[in-house]
Amino acid sequence: MLPTPTKFTLVAGTGEGHTPLNAFDQALLAAGAGNVNLLRVSSILPPGARYAERVILPPGALVPVAYGALKSATPGERIAAAVAVGIPESGFGVIMEYSGRTSREEAEKTIRGMVEEAFDMRGLSLVTYRVKSVEHEVVMAGAVFAGIILWY
Amino acid sequence: MLPTPTKFTLVAGTGEGHTPLNAFDQALLAAGAGNVNLLRVSSILPPGARYAERVILPPGALVPVAYGALKSATPGERIAAAVAVGIPESGFGVIMEYSGRTSREEAEKTIRGMVEEAFDMRGLSLVTYRVKSVEHEVVMAGAVFAGIILWY
Amino acid sequence: MLPTPTKFTLVAGTGEGHTPLNAFDQALLAAGAGNVNLLRVSSILPPGARYAERVILPPGALVPVAYGALKSATPGERIAAAVAVGIPESGFGVIMEYSGRTSREEAEKTIRGMVEEAFDMRGLSLVTYRVKSVEHEVVMAGAVFAGIILWY
Protein backbone atom coordinates (compact mmCIF):
# COMPACT_ATOMS: atom_id res chain seq x y z
CA MET A 1 0.00 0.00 0.00
CA LEU A 2 0.94 3.65 -0.21
CA PRO A 3 2.68 5.01 2.90
CA THR A 4 0.27 6.54 5.41
CA PRO A 5 1.15 10.13 6.41
CA THR A 6 2.46 10.64 9.94
CA LYS A 7 2.41 14.46 10.30
CA PHE A 8 0.06 17.28 9.43
CA THR A 9 -0.09 21.03 9.22
CA LEU A 10 -2.72 23.60 8.28
CA VAL A 11 -2.03 26.12 5.54
CA ALA A 12 -4.02 28.82 3.78
CA GLY A 13 -3.49 31.60 1.31
CA THR A 14 -5.11 33.96 -1.17
CA GLY A 15 -4.01 34.97 -4.64
CA GLU A 16 -4.65 37.27 -7.57
CA GLY A 17 -3.68 36.74 -11.19
CA HIS A 18 -4.60 37.27 -14.81
CA THR A 19 -6.32 33.87 -14.99
CA PRO A 20 -8.13 31.85 -12.30
CA LEU A 21 -5.40 29.16 -12.43
CA ASN A 22 -2.66 31.75 -11.92
CA ALA A 23 -4.63 33.17 -8.99
CA PHE A 24 -4.88 29.65 -7.55
CA ASP A 25 -1.15 29.14 -8.12
CA GLN A 26 -0.50 32.38 -6.23
CA ALA A 27 -2.79 31.28 -3.38
CA LEU A 28 -0.82 28.03 -3.12
CA LEU A 29 2.45 29.96 -3.05
CA ALA A 30 1.08 32.23 -0.32
CA ALA A 31 0.12 29.12 1.65
CA GLY A 32 3.59 27.61 1.26
CA ALA A 33 2.28 24.81 -0.95
CA GLY A 34 2.98 26.26 -4.38
CA ASN A 35 6.03 24.32 -5.47
CA VAL A 36 4.82 20.76 -4.97
CA ASN A 37 2.41 18.33 -6.60
CA LEU A 38 -0.75 18.38 -4.54
CA LEU A 39 -2.60 15.08 -4.46
CA ARG A 40 -6.12 15.80 -3.26
CA VAL A 41 -7.56 13.31 -0.78
CA SER A 42 -10.82 12.97 1.12
CA SER A 43 -10.11 13.39 4.17
CA ILE A 44 -9.13 11.58 7.34
CA LEU A 45 -6.29 12.39 9.72
CA PRO A 46 -4.40 9.12 10.22
CA PRO A 47 -4.29 7.89 13.83
CA GLY A 48 -1.19 9.10 15.60
CA ALA A 49 -0.36 11.81 13.06
CA ARG A 50 1.48 14.59 14.84
CA TYR A 51 0.77 18.28 14.37
CA ALA A 52 3.66 20.34 12.99
CA GLU A 53 3.70 24.13 12.93
CA ARG A 54 5.52 23.86 9.60
CA VAL A 55 6.55 21.06 7.29
CA ILE A 56 9.35 21.15 4.74
CA LEU A 57 8.10 20.01 1.37
CA PRO A 58 10.73 19.14 -1.26
CA PRO A 59 9.92 20.87 -4.59
CA GLY A 60 7.96 18.60 -6.90
CA ALA A 61 7.08 16.08 -4.17
CA LEU A 62 3.71 14.29 -4.27
CA VAL A 63 1.89 15.79 -1.29
CA PRO A 64 -1.42 14.41 0.01
CA VAL A 65 -3.70 17.27 0.99
CA ALA A 66 -7.34 17.83 1.89
CA TYR A 67 -8.46 21.29 0.91
CA GLY A 68 -11.19 23.77 0.21
CA ALA A 69 -10.60 26.30 -2.55
CA LEU A 70 -12.49 28.69 -4.75
CA LYS A 71 -11.57 30.70 -7.82
CA SER A 72 -13.51 33.72 -9.00
CA ALA A 73 -13.25 36.04 -11.97
CA THR A 74 -15.91 38.42 -10.63
CA PRO A 75 -14.25 41.66 -9.49
CA GLY A 76 -15.44 42.78 -6.07
CA GLU A 77 -16.67 39.35 -5.03
CA ARG A 78 -15.68 38.16 -1.56
CA ILE A 79 -14.63 34.54 -1.36
CA ALA A 80 -13.51 32.42 1.55
CA ALA A 81 -12.05 28.98 2.20
CA ALA A 82 -11.64 27.03 5.40
CA VAL A 83 -10.31 23.70 6.50
CA ALA A 84 -10.67 22.10 9.91
CA VAL A 85 -9.82 18.89 11.67
CA GLY A 86 -11.47 17.35 14.68
CA ILE A 87 -9.50 14.85 16.75
CA PRO A 88 -10.96 12.49 19.33
CA GLU A 89 -9.30 11.14 22.48
CA SER A 90 -7.58 8.48 20.38
CA GLY A 91 -7.69 7.14 16.84
CA PHE A 92 -8.18 8.96 13.56
CA GLY A 93 -9.38 12.52 13.08
CA VAL A 94 -11.89 13.88 10.58
CA ILE A 95 -11.05 16.71 8.18
CA MET A 96 -13.66 18.96 6.61
CA GLU A 97 -13.20 21.51 3.83
CA TYR A 98 -15.36 24.45 2.88
CA SER A 99 -15.35 27.29 0.40
CA GLY A 100 -17.97 29.83 -0.65
CA ARG A 101 -18.89 33.35 -1.60
CA THR A 102 -18.88 34.41 1.99
CA SER A 103 -16.71 35.81 4.78
CA ARG A 104 -14.02 34.04 6.69
CA GLU A 105 -16.13 34.20 9.85
CA GLU A 106 -19.08 32.52 8.14
CA ALA A 107 -16.76 29.89 6.65
CA GLU A 108 -15.34 29.11 10.10
CA LYS A 109 -18.82 28.88 11.59
CA THR A 110 -20.02 26.53 8.85
CA ILE A 111 -17.01 24.26 9.03
CA ARG A 112 -17.23 23.92 12.80
CA GLY A 113 -20.74 22.56 12.34
CA MET A 114 -19.52 20.20 9.64
CA VAL A 115 -16.83 18.71 11.86
CA GLU A 116 -19.30 18.34 14.74
CA GLU A 117 -21.77 16.58 12.44
CA ALA A 118 -19.05 14.23 11.17
CA PHE A 119 -18.20 13.37 14.79
CA ASP A 120 -21.86 12.82 15.67
CA MET A 121 -22.25 10.47 12.68
CA ARG A 122 -19.33 8.39 13.92
CA GLY A 123 -20.31 8.50 17.60
CA LEU A 124 -17.01 10.21 18.42
CA SER A 125 -16.28 12.98 20.96
CA LEU A 126 -14.36 16.02 19.81
CA VAL A 127 -11.27 16.64 21.96
CA THR A 128 -9.00 18.78 19.78
CA TYR A 129 -10.14 21.16 17.07
CA ARG A 130 -7.95 23.08 14.61
CA VAL A 131 -9.15 25.41 11.87
CA LYS A 132 -7.54 27.68 9.28
CA SER A 133 -9.34 30.05 6.96
CA VAL A 134 -8.84 32.94 4.56
CA GLU A 135 -10.97 35.43 2.67
CA HIS A 136 -10.26 37.57 -0.36
CA GLU A 137 -11.97 40.30 -2.34
CA VAL A 138 -11.44 39.64 -6.01
CA VAL A 139 -9.66 42.32 -8.05
CA MET A 140 -9.24 40.64 -11.45
CA ALA A 141 -9.12 36.88 -10.94
CA GLY A 142 -8.84 35.70 -7.36
CA ALA A 143 -8.50 32.48 -5.43
CA VAL A 144 -8.63 31.24 -1.86
CA PHE A 145 -7.11 28.03 -0.57
CA ALA A 146 -7.14 26.35 2.85
CA GLY A 147 -5.69 22.90 3.27
CA ILE A 148 -4.40 20.28 5.63
CA ILE A 149 -1.17 18.83 4.38
CA LEU A 150 -0.61 15.21 5.31
CA TRP A 151 3.07 14.55 5.45
CA TYR A 152 5.81 12.18 6.58
CA MET B 1 6.84 4.12 -9.24
CA LEU B 2 3.85 3.92 -6.92
CA PRO B 3 2.81 0.37 -6.04
CA THR B 4 0.14 -1.03 -8.36
CA PRO B 5 -2.97 -2.33 -6.56
CA THR B 6 -3.47 -6.11 -6.51
CA LYS B 7 -7.05 -6.44 -5.18
CA PHE B 8 -10.37 -4.77 -5.73
CA THR B 9 -13.84 -4.55 -4.30
CA LEU B 10 -17.04 -2.69 -5.17
CA VAL B 11 -18.70 -0.46 -2.59
CA ALA B 12 -21.66 1.91 -2.56
CA GLY B 13 -23.67 3.96 -0.13
CA THR B 14 -26.07 6.85 0.32
CA GLY B 15 -26.08 9.61 2.91
CA GLU B 16 -28.00 12.54 4.33
CA GLY B 17 -26.62 15.50 6.24
CA HIS B 18 -26.94 19.19 6.98
CA THR B 19 -24.43 20.05 4.24
CA PRO B 20 -23.62 18.29 0.96
CA LEU B 21 -20.14 17.38 2.23
CA ASN B 22 -21.57 15.83 5.39
CA ALA B 23 -24.02 13.87 3.22
CA PHE B 24 -21.10 12.68 1.10
CA ASP B 25 -19.17 11.77 4.26
CA GLN B 26 -22.17 9.73 5.41
CA ALA B 27 -22.43 8.01 2.02
CA LEU B 28 -18.75 7.05 2.29
CA LEU B 29 -19.34 5.68 5.80
CA ALA B 30 -22.32 3.67 4.56
CA ALA B 31 -20.09 2.28 1.81
CA GLY B 32 -17.38 1.31 4.28
CA ALA B 33 -14.97 3.88 2.86
CA GLY B 34 -15.56 6.75 5.28
CA ASN B 35 -12.48 6.59 7.47
CA VAL B 36 -9.73 6.64 4.85
CA ASN B 37 -8.15 9.09 2.44
CA LEU B 38 -9.67 8.42 -0.95
CA LEU B 39 -7.33 9.09 -3.85
CA ARG B 40 -9.47 9.35 -6.97
CA VAL B 41 -8.08 7.64 -10.07
CA SER B 42 -9.26 7.15 -13.63
CA SER B 43 -9.80 4.05 -13.98
CA ILE B 44 -8.25 0.76 -15.00
CA LEU B 45 -8.28 -2.54 -13.14
CA PRO B 46 -4.65 -3.69 -13.02
CA PRO B 47 -4.00 -7.03 -14.71
CA GLY B 48 -4.22 -9.90 -12.25
CA ALA B 49 -6.01 -7.88 -9.56
CA ARG B 50 -8.16 -10.26 -7.51
CA TYR B 51 -11.75 -9.59 -6.49
CA ALA B 52 -12.35 -9.45 -2.75
CA GLU B 53 -15.82 -9.46 -1.18
CA ARG B 54 -14.41 -7.08 1.43
CA VAL B 55 -11.14 -5.33 2.02
CA ILE B 56 -9.81 -4.07 5.34
CA LEU B 57 -8.75 -0.45 5.05
CA PRO B 58 -6.60 0.94 7.87
CA PRO B 59 -8.00 4.31 9.08
CA GLY B 60 -6.30 7.23 7.35
CA ALA B 61 -4.72 5.08 4.63
CA LEU B 62 -4.30 6.49 1.10
CA VAL B 63 -6.78 4.44 -0.91
CA PRO B 64 -6.93 4.53 -4.73
CA VAL B 65 -10.54 4.49 -5.88
CA ALA B 66 -12.53 5.06 -9.06
CA TYR B 67 -15.99 6.36 -8.27
CA GLY B 68 -19.16 8.03 -9.35
CA ALA B 69 -20.85 10.32 -6.85
CA LEU B 70 -23.43 13.06 -6.71
CA LYS B 71 -24.47 15.51 -4.02
CA SER B 72 -27.79 17.34 -4.05
CA ALA B 73 -29.40 19.96 -1.84
CA THR B 74 -32.76 19.72 -3.64
CA PRO B 75 -35.29 17.99 -1.36
CA GLY B 76 -37.26 15.30 -3.15
CA GLU B 77 -34.72 14.85 -5.92
CA ARG B 78 -33.76 11.28 -6.79
CA ILE B 79 -30.06 10.71 -7.41
CA ALA B 80 -28.13 7.61 -8.36
CA ALA B 81 -24.54 6.48 -8.72
CA ALA B 82 -23.08 3.38 -10.30
CA VAL B 83 -19.68 1.89 -10.88
CA ALA B 84 -18.84 -1.09 -13.05
CA VAL B 85 -15.83 -3.02 -14.23
CA GLY B 86 -15.45 -5.15 -17.32
CA ILE B 87 -12.74 -7.77 -17.39
CA PRO B 88 -11.48 -9.57 -20.50
CA GLU B 89 -10.10 -13.10 -20.76
CA SER B 90 -6.71 -11.80 -19.61
CA GLY B 91 -5.00 -8.49 -18.97
CA PHE B 92 -6.40 -5.29 -17.47
CA GLY B 93 -10.04 -4.42 -16.90
CA VAL B 94 -11.84 -1.17 -17.58
CA ILE B 95 -13.78 0.70 -14.90
CA MET B 96 -16.58 3.14 -15.64
CA GLU B 97 -18.35 5.49 -13.24
CA TYR B 98 -21.71 7.18 -13.56
CA SER B 99 -23.97 9.44 -11.54
CA GLY B 100 -27.07 11.39 -12.37
CA ARG B 101 -30.52 12.59 -11.39
CA THR B 102 -32.03 9.27 -12.27
CA SER B 103 -32.92 5.84 -10.89
CA ARG B 104 -30.58 3.05 -9.99
CA GLU B 105 -31.97 0.96 -12.85
CA GLU B 106 -31.26 3.69 -15.40
CA ALA B 107 -27.77 4.19 -13.95
CA GLU B 108 -27.04 0.45 -14.29
CA LYS B 109 -28.33 0.44 -17.86
CA THR B 110 -26.21 3.45 -18.80
CA ILE B 111 -23.04 2.14 -17.23
CA ARG B 112 -23.37 -1.25 -18.90
CA GLY B 113 -23.35 0.53 -22.25
CA MET B 114 -20.32 2.59 -21.19
CA VAL B 115 -18.28 -0.48 -20.29
CA GLU B 116 -19.28 -2.17 -23.57
CA GLU B 117 -18.24 0.91 -25.54
CA ALA B 118 -14.90 1.06 -23.71
CA PHE B 119 -14.31 -2.59 -24.63
CA ASP B 120 -15.28 -2.00 -28.27
CA MET B 121 -12.86 0.94 -28.46
CA ARG B 122 -10.04 -1.32 -27.24
CA GLY B 123 -11.02 -4.34 -29.34
CA LEU B 124 -11.51 -6.39 -26.19
CA SER B 125 -14.15 -9.03 -25.39
CA LEU B 126 -16.04 -8.74 -22.13
CA VAL B 127 -15.79 -11.92 -20.05
CA THR B 128 -16.61 -10.80 -16.50
CA TYR B 129 -18.82 -7.89 -15.54
CA ARG B 130 -19.41 -6.48 -12.05
CA VAL B 131 -21.60 -3.53 -11.16
CA LYS B 132 -22.71 -1.78 -7.98
CA SER B 133 -25.23 1.04 -7.72
CA VAL B 134 -27.34 3.02 -5.29
CA GLU B 135 -30.13 5.56 -5.41
CA HIS B 136 -31.40 8.07 -2.89
CA GLU B 137 -34.25 10.53 -2.54
CA VAL B 138 -32.90 13.71 -1.03
CA VAL B 139 -34.41 14.89 2.26
CA MET B 140 -32.21 17.87 3.17
CA ALA B 141 -28.79 17.38 1.61
CA GLY B 142 -28.13 14.00 0.09
CA ALA B 143 -25.33 12.11 -1.60
CA VAL B 144 -24.77 8.87 -3.48
CA PHE B 145 -21.45 7.13 -3.93
CA ALA B 146 -20.41 4.01 -5.85
CA GLY B 147 -16.77 3.08 -6.14
CA ILE B 148 -14.24 0.43 -6.94
CA ILE B 149 -11.52 0.36 -4.34
CA LEU B 150 -8.12 -0.69 -5.64
CA TRP B 151 -6.18 -2.24 -2.83
CA TYR B 152 -3.16 -4.33 -1.87
CA MET C 1 6.91 9.96 1.48
CA LEU C 2 5.65 8.97 -1.95
CA PRO C 3 8.37 8.61 -4.57
CA THR C 4 9.02 11.80 -6.53
CA PRO C 5 8.81 11.36 -10.32
CA THR C 6 12.07 11.55 -12.26
CA LYS C 7 10.88 11.70 -15.89
CA PHE C 8 8.19 13.48 -17.85
CA THR C 9 6.50 13.49 -21.20
CA LEU C 10 3.74 15.52 -22.85
CA VAL C 11 0.71 13.76 -24.30
CA ALA C 12 -2.56 14.86 -25.87
CA GLY C 13 -5.54 13.36 -27.63
CA THR C 14 -9.13 13.85 -28.68
CA GLY C 15 -12.05 11.44 -28.52
CA GLU C 16 -15.65 10.84 -29.49
CA GLY C 17 -18.15 8.51 -27.85
CA HIS C 18 -21.76 7.92 -26.91
CA THR C 19 -21.22 9.47 -23.48
CA PRO C 20 -18.84 12.20 -22.32
CA LEU C 21 -16.90 9.69 -20.18
CA ASN C 22 -16.46 7.35 -23.15
CA ALA C 23 -15.25 10.30 -25.22
CA PHE C 24 -12.78 11.14 -22.45
CA ASP C 25 -11.68 7.48 -22.32
CA GLN C 26 -11.08 7.61 -26.07
CA ALA C 27 -9.11 10.86 -25.76
CA LEU C 28 -6.90 9.20 -23.13
CA LEU C 29 -6.38 6.21 -25.42
CA ALA C 30 -5.45 8.52 -28.29
CA ALA C 31 -2.95 10.21 -25.98
CA GLY C 32 -1.42 6.88 -24.95
CA ALA C 33 -2.68 7.24 -21.39
CA GLY C 34 -5.87 5.22 -21.60
CA ASN C 35 -4.92 2.01 -19.85
CA VAL C 36 -3.57 3.36 -16.57
CA ASN C 37 -4.90 4.94 -13.40
CA LEU C 38 -4.34 8.66 -13.73
CA LEU C 39 -3.68 10.43 -10.45
CA ARG C 40 -4.25 14.12 -11.03
CA VAL C 41 -1.73 16.45 -9.43
CA SER C 42 -1.20 20.20 -9.31
CA SER C 43 1.49 20.77 -10.90
CA ILE C 44 5.23 21.14 -10.52
CA LEU C 45 7.97 19.46 -12.53
CA PRO C 46 10.36 17.97 -9.96
CA PRO C 47 13.93 19.32 -10.13
CA GLY C 48 16.10 17.16 -12.34
CA ALA C 49 13.21 15.35 -14.02
CA ARG C 50 14.32 14.35 -17.52
CA TYR C 51 12.21 14.78 -20.64
CA ALA C 52 11.33 11.55 -22.45
CA GLU C 53 9.84 11.45 -25.94
CA ARG C 54 7.79 8.46 -24.76
CA VAL C 55 7.31 6.63 -21.49
CA ILE C 56 6.17 3.05 -21.07
CA LEU C 57 3.29 2.87 -18.63
CA PRO C 58 2.39 -0.57 -17.26
CA PRO C 59 -1.38 -1.18 -17.56
CA GLY C 60 -3.20 -0.29 -14.34
CA ALA C 61 -0.24 1.64 -12.87
CA LEU C 62 -0.87 4.71 -10.70
CA VAL C 63 0.39 7.55 -12.88
CA PRO C 64 0.78 11.12 -11.59
CA VAL C 65 -0.35 13.58 -14.26
CA ALA C 66 -1.16 17.27 -14.57
CA TYR C 67 -3.74 17.87 -17.25
CA GLY C 68 -6.28 20.08 -18.88
CA ALA C 69 -9.37 18.41 -20.30
CA LEU C 70 -12.86 19.25 -21.45
CA LYS C 71 -15.88 17.16 -22.33
CA SER C 72 -18.77 18.44 -24.41
CA ALA C 73 -22.08 16.99 -25.51
CA THR C 74 -22.86 19.95 -27.81
CA PRO C 75 -22.53 18.84 -31.46
CA GLY C 76 -20.52 21.29 -33.53
CA GLU C 77 -18.77 22.86 -30.57
CA ARG C 78 -15.02 23.35 -30.86
CA ILE C 79 -13.05 22.48 -27.75
CA ALA C 80 -9.35 22.64 -26.99
CA ALA C 81 -6.95 21.59 -24.26
CA ALA C 82 -3.33 22.53 -23.69
CA VAL C 83 -0.62 21.76 -21.20
CA ALA C 84 2.75 23.46 -20.90
CA VAL C 85 5.79 23.41 -18.70
CA GLY C 86 8.32 26.13 -18.11
CA ILE C 87 11.76 25.17 -16.84
CA PRO C 88 14.32 27.57 -15.37
CA GLU C 89 18.11 27.31 -15.49
CA SER C 90 18.00 24.93 -12.53
CA GLY C 91 15.49 23.64 -10.02
CA PHE C 92 11.84 22.76 -10.46
CA GLY C 93 9.61 23.64 -13.40
CA VAL C 94 6.05 24.93 -13.39
CA ILE C 95 3.23 23.18 -15.25
CA MET C 96 0.06 24.93 -16.39
CA GLU C 97 -3.09 23.38 -17.80
CA TYR C 98 -5.84 24.95 -19.85
CA SER C 99 -9.04 23.94 -21.58
CA GLY C 100 -11.87 25.88 -23.15
CA ARG C 101 -14.37 26.31 -25.93
CA THR C 102 -11.76 27.73 -28.21
CA SER C 103 -9.14 26.85 -30.82
CA ARG C 104 -5.83 25.15 -30.27
CA GLU C 105 -4.03 28.34 -31.25
CA GLU C 106 -5.90 30.38 -28.64
CA ALA C 107 -5.27 27.69 -26.02
CA GLU C 108 -1.53 27.76 -26.76
CA LYS C 109 -1.48 31.54 -26.57
CA THR C 110 -3.33 31.57 -23.25
CA ILE C 111 -1.18 28.89 -21.66
CA ARG C 112 2.06 30.61 -22.69
CA GLY C 113 0.91 33.67 -20.75
CA MET C 114 -0.01 31.49 -17.77
CA VAL C 115 3.44 29.92 -17.58
CA GLU C 116 5.09 33.34 -17.93
CA GLU C 117 2.93 34.71 -15.12
CA ALA C 118 3.77 31.73 -12.90
CA PHE C 119 7.47 32.41 -13.52
CA ASP C 120 7.08 36.12 -12.80
CA MET C 121 5.32 35.31 -9.51
CA ARG C 122 8.25 33.14 -8.45
CA GLY C 123 10.95 35.50 -9.73
CA LEU C 124 12.21 32.79 -12.08
CA SER C 125 13.54 33.10 -15.64
CA LEU C 126 12.10 30.83 -18.31
CA VAL C 127 14.81 28.86 -20.09
CA THR C 128 12.98 25.89 -21.62
CA TYR C 129 9.34 25.83 -22.68
CA ARG C 130 7.34 22.83 -23.88
CA VAL C 131 3.69 22.82 -24.88
CA LYS C 132 1.22 20.29 -26.27
CA SER C 133 -2.34 21.01 -27.37
CA VAL C 134 -5.29 19.56 -29.24
CA GLU C 135 -8.63 20.72 -30.55
CA HIS C 136 -11.75 18.85 -31.54
CA GLU C 137 -15.12 19.61 -33.10
CA VAL C 138 -17.76 17.66 -31.24
CA VAL C 139 -19.87 15.20 -33.24
CA MET C 140 -21.93 13.48 -30.54
CA ALA C 141 -19.99 13.61 -27.27
CA GLY C 142 -16.42 14.79 -27.51
CA ALA C 143 -13.41 15.27 -25.28
CA VAL C 144 -9.98 16.82 -25.42
CA PHE C 145 -7.09 15.98 -23.12
CA ALA C 146 -3.55 17.38 -22.80
CA GLY C 147 -1.33 16.24 -19.98
CA ILE C 148 2.16 16.04 -18.61
CA ILE C 149 2.85 12.58 -17.29
CA LEU C 150 5.26 12.48 -14.36
CA TRP C 151 6.99 9.16 -14.34
CA TYR C 152 9.88 7.13 -12.96
Side-chain angles (χ1 to χ4, degrees):
Chain A
M1 54 181 279
L2 301 166
T4 302
T6 54
K7 275 188 205 170
F8 72 104
T9 194
L10 285 74
V11 295
T14 69
E16 272 290 320
H18 286 84
T19 72
L21 184 57
N22 283 113
F24 182 65
D25 183 44
Q26 181 56 41
L28 294 180
L29 281 172
N35 293 330
V36 296
N37 283 302
L38 297 179
L39 215 51
R40 195 173 197 172
V41 299
S42 89
S43 49
I44 292 294
L45 186 70
R50 282 166 299 114
Y51 174 73
E53 194 63 45
R54 286 195 55 176
V55 295
I56 309 223
L57 303 173
L62 300 178
V63 177
V65 61
Y67 68 85
L70 194 61
K71 301 167 197 160
S72 166
T74 306
E77 193 166 53
R78 187 175 55 173
I79 54 179
V83 70
V85 59
I87 307 175
E89 184 67 39
S90 69
F92 64 87
V94 182
I95 299 170
M96 286 278 153
E97 315 90 36
Y98 177 80
S99 63
R101 290 168 180 78
T102 185
S103 69
R104 187 179 166 170
E105 288 68 32
E106 276 304 307
E108 288 214 0
K109 196 171 148 189
T110 300
I111 206 165
R112 172 88 201 190
M114 291 167 72
V115 171
E116 288 174 355
E117 186 171 338
F119 267 64
D120 284 350
M121 280 177 174
R122 288 171 175 81
L124 293 173
S125 295
L126 191 55
V127 173
T128 305
Y129 179 77
R130 290 183 186 272
V131 63
K132 191 135 191 168
S133 65
V134 280
E135 72 173 49
H136 177 67
E137 195 179 306
V138 178
V139 180
M140 189 160 41
V144 286
F145 167 84
I148 294 191
I149 288 174
L150 302 174
W151 196 235
Y152 299 93
Chain B
M1 55 181 279
L2 301 166
T4 302
T6 55
K7 273 188 206 172
F8 72 104
T9 194
L10 285 75
V11 295
T14 68
E16 272 290 320
H18 285 84
T19 72
L21 184 56
N22 283 114
F24 182 63
D25 182 45
Q26 181 58 42
L28 293 180
L29 281 172
N35 293 329
V36 296
N37 282 301
L38 297 179
L39 215 51
R40 195 173 196 172
V41 298
S42 89
S43 47
I44 292 294
L45 186 71
R50 281 166 300 114
Y51 174 73
E53 193 64 45
R54 287 193 56 176
V55 294
I56 309 225
L57 303 172
L62 300 178
V63 178
V65 63
Y67 68 85
L70 195 61
K71 302 168 197 160
S72 167
T74 307
E77 192 166 53
R78 186 175 54 172
I79 54 179
V83 71
V85 59
I87 307 175
E89 185 66 40
S90 68
F92 64 87
V94 182
I95 300 169
M96 285 279 151
E97 314 90 36
Y98 177 79
S99 64
R101 288 168 180 80
T102 185
S103 69
R104 187 179 167 171
E105 287 68 32
E106 276 304 309
E108 288 215 0
K109 196 171 146 188
T110 300
I111 205 166
R112 171 88 202 191
M114 291 167 72
V115 170
E116 287 173 357
E117 186 171 337
F119 267 62
D120 284 348
M121 280 177 174
R122 288 172 175 80
L124 294 173
S125 295
L126 191 55
V127 172
T128 305
Y129 180 77
R130 290 182 186 272
V131 63
K132 191 133 188 169
S133 65
V134 279
E135 72 172 50
H136 177 66
E137 194 179 307
V138 179
V139 180
M140 188 159 41
V144 286
F145 167 84
I148 294 190
I149 288 173
L150 301 174
W151 196 235
Y152 300 93
Chain C
M1 57 181 278
L2 301 167
T4 302
T6 54
K7 273 187 206 172
F8 72 104
T9 195
L10 284 75
V11 295
T14 68
E16 272 289 321
H18 286 83
T19 72
L21 184 56
N22 283 113
F24 182 64
D25 182 44
Q26 181 58 42
L28 293 180
L29 281 172
N35 294 329
V36 296
N37 283 301
L38 297 180
L39 216 51
R40 195 173 195 171
V41 298
S42 91
S43 46
I44 293 294
L45 185 70
R50 283 165 298 114
Y51 174 73
E53 194 64 44
R54 286 194 56 176
V55 295
I56 309 226
L57 303 172
L62 300 178
V63 177
V65 62
Y67 67 85
L70 194 61
K71 301 167 197 162
S72 167
T74 307
E77 192 166 54
R78 187 174 54 173
I79 54 179
V83 71
V85 60
I87 307 175
E89 185 65 42
S90 68
F92 64 86
V94 182
I95 300 170
M96 286 278 152
E97 315 89 37
Y98 177 80
S99 64
R101 288 168 181 77
T102 185
S103 69
R104 187 179 166 171
E105 287 68 33
E106 277 304 309
E108 288 214 0
K109 197 171 147 188
T110 300
I111 205 166
R112 173 88 201 191
M114 292 167 72
V115 170
E116 288 174 356
E117 187 170 337
F119 267 63
D120 285 349
M121 281 178 173
R122 287 172 175 82
L124 293 174
S125 295
L126 190 55
V127 172
T128 306
Y129 180 77
R130 290 182 186 273
V131 64
K132 191 133 189 171
S133 64
V134 280
E135 72 172 49
H136 177 66
E137 195 179 305
V138 179
V139 181
M140 187 159 42
V144 286
F145 167 84
I148 293 191
I149 289 173
L150 301 174
W151 196 235
Y152 300 93

